[in-house]
């Protein structure tokens, strides 16, 4: 984020809240004690920083919070709105990349690509002619939890593979023809693959729980590119171990960067290190979006990707 | 293939030409010496058996050859036609699965899914916060060599990801709007990703050679779901080693099941063991197609998926 353009913004102090040199309260206290205290905060990554009442209490000069991430579960939007602190994030910059990664993991799990990779690299192919078959992508019923930007792009891609798309979200979307399920449990019961593409909030924490896994069943597959805590990880591992679901593709985990070691020995699981949002191109796009939003805020123009508009 | 339905076909001997108990000439001699010699041959897999003049010389009773595979580089179609031996294969049964696998490998290589998998399984994530970024799928120019059934399905899928499709084939296909290149070299020069989806024959052996790899360039990626010998494997490995291309996704190799050990240490290569055609569902579909073609042949009806029709 430390691009020259950001640094040249007039009379503004920006700060990164990642890999802080000092504990957060000290860092914030030092920033607001400056002669020209920061009016905007840019949260890069943000997994370790929560923008909540105590953060805002400590930074009365801050009137705009920009988060470079896609999710905003670390920002108390209601508290920001109550205090007149504007909030923006990177908007849909990541959506296509996350959708691509989700579809890549879905194909990978169904067709056993990473498992075949390990098999070939181990040098076992010449000795073992037979190899466990994967399963077809075409015709699979894919239930998407959360049909926002990312979920919609996943659906669009999977339609081209001949998948049947179902979805669950807070409310039905009349602009799509996919079958809507108001209950995640019912969605799981009718789906071969369940894709978690919703935001994390109190309603969606452990939205995939023991009952939903049970409904998905022994041939079912979970793909999670939302947040780790959208899935009850302990129950997921238990279901995988006992063969009560068939496999999983996981880009996110409940206690990142910790991944439960039990998953390491499972051949029917594909795991990536929360990289669905990251490509070399998206990093540049995020920088541009960050700068454009800051420029808009400081020049009194409407924010480009607002979550809470300036008062 | 040993389904009851096949066995019940009247007055027919079918034989598998894979994992023979005896050398092929002895096996064929024994079959034709039977009181009711076989009139049809079903080649399962077929990587080790060539149906050529000497095969046909040894089996004068055979009037129909069915190959369960997708490719027919092991069958001399011209020689079969000259002798009035009908030939059929599994037609388009595999096409969607192969296309899915190709797209899966393409996303995998671009987004480094299998590499991230190894990283996570190694337990390195907590210690190494930073991870090499992948590159976006959207906007990539994908050059497809061979716009047959499989190539067309790959194109259709990648359009949904926002890729730009180019192609090379023996002749231009007027029913598609993708940009056509009569030269593979020129196609490679204009493409970010080159997908090999053509049949193997004398014109397409090493169709991806040193010059084509050079034209593809250091940011370019090769995906091969055709045949190993469509690519000059030695030159491919040399180009990968020297960083003259960026990565590869390979389901096929020149000397299967042998895979050059130099590939095992490359993080930018995704390898699978010639499984793009295989899913549990396609195996059943192939069995049905085999039976239907045999029934058609023996009842004098038109073959369902003929390559050389009966005389």
């Amino acid at each position: 984020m430390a691009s020259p353009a950001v640094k040249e913004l007039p009379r503004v102090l920006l700060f990164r809240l990642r890999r802080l040199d000092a504990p957060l309260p000290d860092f914030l206290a030092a920033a607001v004690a400056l002669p020209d205290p920061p009016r905007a905060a840019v949260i890069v990554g943000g997994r370790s920083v929560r923008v909540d009442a105590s953060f805002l209490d400590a930074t009365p000069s801050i009137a705009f919070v920009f988060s470079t991430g896609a999710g905003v579960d670390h920002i108390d939007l209601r508290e920001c709105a109550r205090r007149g602190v504007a909030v923006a994030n990177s908007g849909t910059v990541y959506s296509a990349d996350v959708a691509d990664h989700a579809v890549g993991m879905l194909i990978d799990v169904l067709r056993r690509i990473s498992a075949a990779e390990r098999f070939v690299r181990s040098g076992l192919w010449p000795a073992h002619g037979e190899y466990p078959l994967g399963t077809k992508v075409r015709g699979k019923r894919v239930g998407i939890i959360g049909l926002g930007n990312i979920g919609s792009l996943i659906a669009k891609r999977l339609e081209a593979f001949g998948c049947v798309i179902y979805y669950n979200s807070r409310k039905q979307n009349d602009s799509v023809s996919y079958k809507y399920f108001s209950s995640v449990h019912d969605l799981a019961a009718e789906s071969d693959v369940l894709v978690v593409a919703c935001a994390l909030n109190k309603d969606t924490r452990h939205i995939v729980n023991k009952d939903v896994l049970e409904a998905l069943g022994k041939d079912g597959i979970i793909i999670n590119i939302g947040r780790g805590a959208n899935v009850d990880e302990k129950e997921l591992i238990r279901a995988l171990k006992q063969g009560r679901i068939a496999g999983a593709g996981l880009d996110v985990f409940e206690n990142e960067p910790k991944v439960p070691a039990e998953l390491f020995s499972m051949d029917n699981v594909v795991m990536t290190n929360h990289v669905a949002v990251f490509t070399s191109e998206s990093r540049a796009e995020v920088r541009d979006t960050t700068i454009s939003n800051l420029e808009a805020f400081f020049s009194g123009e409407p924010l480009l990707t607002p979550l809470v508009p300036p008062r």
Side-chain angles (χ1 to χ4, degrees), chain A residues 149-171:
Chain A
N149 271 302
I150 293 170
S152 302
L153 291 174
I154 292 170
K156 181 191 159 199
R157 282 153 178 69
L158 290 176
E159 278 190 283
F161 289 83
C163 294
V164 180
I165 310 296
Y166 301 152
Y167 75 106
N168 161 266
S169 61
R170 274 166 303 180
K171 52 180 196 288

Side-chain angles (χ1 to χ4, degrees), chain A residues 45-232:
Chain A
R47 290 176 209 172
S48 54
V49 172
R50 286 196 59 78
V51 177
D52 51 14
S54 71
F55 179 102
L56 297 167
D57 282 344
T59 56
S61 62
I62 299 278
F64 178 44
V65 173
F66 185 87
S67 173
T68 61
V72 287
D73 43 299
H74 57 302
I75 300 179
D76 186 336
L77 297 178
R78 188 172 303 188
E79 190 60 28
C80 288
R82 201 180 66 76
R83 298 176 184 230
V85 173
V87 182
N89 72 347
S90 294
T92 60
V93 160
Y94 301 107
S95 301
D97 287 341
V98 175
D100 294 345
H101 196 87
V103 174
M105 286 206 303
L106 182 151
I107 301 173
D108 196 323
V109 175
L110 289 176
R111 299 299 306 275
R112 303 177 53 85
I113 291 178
S114 291
E117 247 282 308
R118 281 191 293 280
F119 175 73
V120 172
R121 280 179 198 263
S122 71
L124 288 173
W125 187 7
H128 295 66
E130 293 291 321
Y131 183 79
L133 294 177
T135 178
K136 236 182 171 58
V137 177
R138 188 169 63 184
K140 287 287 181 299
R141 301 163 302 166
V142 179
I144 301 175
I145 304 176
L147 202 70
N149 271 302
I150 293 170
S152 302
L153 291 174
I154 292 170
K156 181 191 159 199
R157 282 153 178 69
L158 290 176
E159 278 190 283
F161 289 83
C163 294
V164 180
I165 310 296
Y166 301 152
Y167 75 106
N168 161 266
S169 61
R170 274 166 303 180
K171 52 180 196 288
Q172 188 162 359
N173 180 341
D174 294 328
S175 69
V176 298
S177 59
Y178 314 133
K179 186 171 176 188
Y180 173 70
F181 290 78
S182 59
S183 141
V184 172
H185 181 277
D186 296 349
L187 178 72
E190 293 292 319
S191 297
D192 301 305
V193 181
L194 204 56
V195 179
V196 182
C198 57
L200 178 64
N201 55 46
K202 66 180 174 24
D203 298 326
T204 63
R205 181 170 298 271
H206 287 195
I207 194 167
V208 176
N209 58 20
K210 191 183 174 188
D211 286 348
V212 170
L213 292 167
E214 199 67 41
L216 184 60
K218 70 175 181 42
D219 296 321
I221 282 168
I222 290 274
I223 304 293
N224 189 3
I225 47 80
R227 287 282 188 251
N230 289 133
V231 176
D232 185 333

